[in-house]
Amino acid sequence: MTTTTPAGATAPAAGRRRKAAAPKPAPTGPDRIPKPSQGWYRDKVTGEKYRRVTTILAQGSTKGDVLALWAANLVAETAFANLPRMVAASRVPEQRQDMYNWLRRAPTRKKDERADIGSAVHRIIEAHVLGQPMPADLLTDPEMRPYLRHFLRFVEDWQVRFEASEMVVGNRTAGYAGTLDYLLRSPLIAAAFEIPANTVLMGDTKTGGELDVKGVYPEAALQMAAYRKAEVAWLRDGSTVPMPATHTTGVVLHLRPEGYRLIPVVCDDQVFAAFRVIQQAADWVSGLSKSVIGEALALPTVPEKRAA
């Protein structure tokens, strides 16, 4: 015997039920650590979602204006560096379009290149912090050798001892999460800051720019302040601990092939308050701003009067 649904579809016979899907096993170990996806971190145990710190800064700060200016300058530099090729391509319609596409993608190529270098540097640092062998592909890469050499020199010069690396942290109250570069102790940095030698400091690494020009931007302070004010941290075994206390000033290691610089960065409560304002701006950009402008109004249609 069958019954029919209102839409006309055949329903299962009485007494025949679909087998319930088996519940997914609860995540265990490192699988409990949230991972970034499309601008969010999701707590795999509670299901809660936290906005990614770097996404907040990209949407809510003036960083986008700086990047737009950088992209425009890079396209102009690329064009002048390839002027003969541009002139030759301009005479052939097919080549003209190809050259146009190649030029406008110059910022994307550069960002991808920097991202590759940044990722490789972070792998080097993570291996060092964990006491693991350096990745073989990086040790044999001539482009990465100077980064490794200067990083190890930084560790020796400043007597650095790392406490954590690539640790996911989150603030459930404020609804954000991120992955900090590392926590460290250094008696020499502490002496420069006039604080106790065993004080834990927030650390970050930047590989952009040049040593003799600005390569560390104010957004680094906002990012580090957000991490510093996190409420929870995920350890590598998937367990959670309260976010360790860190000093109100951290350091950014500006690491370049030609050397390194160590830059103090304030990440205190005042900077965190500024981050929260930027978080509100990011919420506006990604949320409410998309629904406040309506469609243009049209004049109402007035019926024509019939002639007498």
Side-chain angles (χ1 to χ4, degrees):
M1 175 180 174
T2 59
T3 57
T4 305
T5 63
T10 301
R16 190 188 304 163
R17 297 182 180 177
R18 292 182 179 177
K19 200 172 186 178
K24 292 183 178 180
T28 59
D31 288 341
R32 296 165 62 94
I33 303 174
K35 291 182 173 57
S37 176
Q38 297 181 335
W40 295 86
Y41 281 80
R42 184 175 67 85
D43 189 321
K44 298 181 181 182
V45 177
T46 66
E48 295 177 306
K49 291 178 67 177
Y50 310 112
R51 198 64 166 159
R52 192 175 183 179
V53 169
T54 51
T55 301
I56 291 171
L57 296 177
Q59 293 180 336
S61 72
T62 57
K63 186 177 180 181
D65 296 336
V66 174
L67 289 176
L69 180 60
W70 167 81
N73 286 334
L74 183 61
V75 171
E77 290 173 3
T78 305
F80 274 101
N82 294 271
L83 202 53
R85 291 178 58 193
M86 288 178 56
V87 173
S90 68
R91 297 171 181 152
V92 183
E94 296 82 3
Q95 294 181 11
R96 176 190 175 99
Q97 186 62 44
D98 289 343
M99 177 58 70
Y100 171 82
N101 291 334
W102 182 78
L103 278 175
R104 68 185 179 88
R105 290 173 185 149
T108 302
R109 291 193 301 274
K110 193 67 173 180
K111 283 195 290 186
D112 289 346
E113 177 187 322
R114 288 184 175 180
D116 290 342
I117 292 175
S119 297
V121 167
H122 281 79
R123 286 174 60 198
I124 288 173
I125 294 174
E126 186 175 19
H128 178 86
V129 173
L130 298 178
Q132 298 175 345
M134 292 289 175
D137 59 324
L138 300 184
L139 287 176
T140 57
D141 186 345
E143 187 177 15
M144 296 310 303
R145 285 175 191 159
Y147 289 99
L148 174 59
R149 183 171 65 254
H150 297 314
F151 167 71
L152 294 177
R153 185 161 62 87
F154 151 71
V155 174
E156 182 179 356
D157 288 349
W158 292 93
Q159 301 174 21
V160 172
R161 184 158 50 91
F162 292 99
E163 299 291 316
S165 172
E166 298 296 317
M167 186 164 67
V168 176
V169 299
N171 187 314
R172 288 168 171 152
T173 303
Y176 68 80
T179 303
L180 60 80
D181 276 12
Y182 41 81
L183 303 179
L184 61 87
R185 300 178 198 262
S186 162
L188 299 184
I189 298 175
F193 290 171
E194 299 181 346
I195 56 178
N198 64 343
T199 303
V200 179
L201 303 168
M202 184 77 62
D204 198 3
T205 300
K206 304 296 183 188
T207 57
E210 306 293 339
L211 277 189
D212 56 349
V213 297
K214 194 169 186 178
V216 179
Y217 296 91
E219 285 75 19
L222 297 167
Q223 184 176 3
M224 294 171 73
Y227 296 158
R228 177 177 170 268
K229 296 294 285 187
E231 299 170 340
V232 62
W234 280 264
L235 302 181
R236 291 184 178 274
D237 63 2
S239 61
T240 57
V241 295
M243 176 63 191
T246 60
H247 190 54
T248 54
T249 299
V251 291
V252 169
L253 172 64
H254 186 202
L255 193 61
R256 295 290 302 156
E258 61 271 25
Y260 79 85
R261 297 186 302 165
L262 194 61
I263 311 296
V265 176
V266 176
C267 50
D268 59 10
D269 292 354
Q270 186 176 6
V271 179
F272 178 69
F275 169 78
R276 293 287 280 149
V277 172
I278 288 172
Q279 187 178 12
Q280 290 181 334
D283 289 343
W284 155 259
V285 170
S286 63
L288 187 57
S289 70
K290 299 183 183 299
S291 62
V292 295
I293 304 298
E295 297 293 333
L297 298 178
L299 287 172
T301 303
V302 179
E304 294 183 6
K305 291 183 179 181
R306 292 185 178 180

